[in-house]
Amino acid sequence: MALRFIGIDDTSGGNNCPMVWKDDADGSIVLQGWEVTDPAELAQLRERSSLPDSEKVIRLPKRMIPYLLEACAE
């Protein structure tokens, strides 16, 4: 895996989160964000799909969309 940094939230204040990376080997996008832990939100997500213990749901703010678009455009 060859992760390439795409962008970090410029309002993170040194917390280094959230971030967007791209795996140059397979083109997948790797995200670092805030874990969703609110039981009501998780219940709503589980209505659509199971959430295995090996997966986490993260939240990225809207201001990170340009980084996602950049990662997807390549």
Side-chain angles (χ1 to χ4, degrees):
M1 181 172 13
L3 292 181
R4 181 168 42 90
F5 175 75
I6 300 294
I8 187 171
D9 184 349
D10 61 359
T11 68
S12 70
N15 292 330
N16 300 324
C17 180
M19 285 193 280
V20 176
W21 299 77
K22 185 164 185 178
D23 185 333
D24 286 330
D26 66 8
S28 61
I29 297 171
V30 177
L31 306 172
Q32 178 184 347
W34 302 287
E35 183 178 1
V36 174
T37 58
D38 180 89
E41 290 180 352
L42 291 172
Q44 186 176 7
L45 292 164
R46 286 187 178 107
E47 288 176 10
R48 186 72 146 145
S49 176
S50 64
L51 184 59
D53 289 339
S54 62
E55 296 179 358
K56 299 290 183 201
V57 176
I58 65 165
R59 179 181 304 274
L60 293 176
K62 184 177 179 180
R63 62 186 171 267
M64 295 299 291
I65 290 174
Y67 296 121
L68 292 173
L69 293 173
E70 179 182 339
C72 291
E74 297 177 352

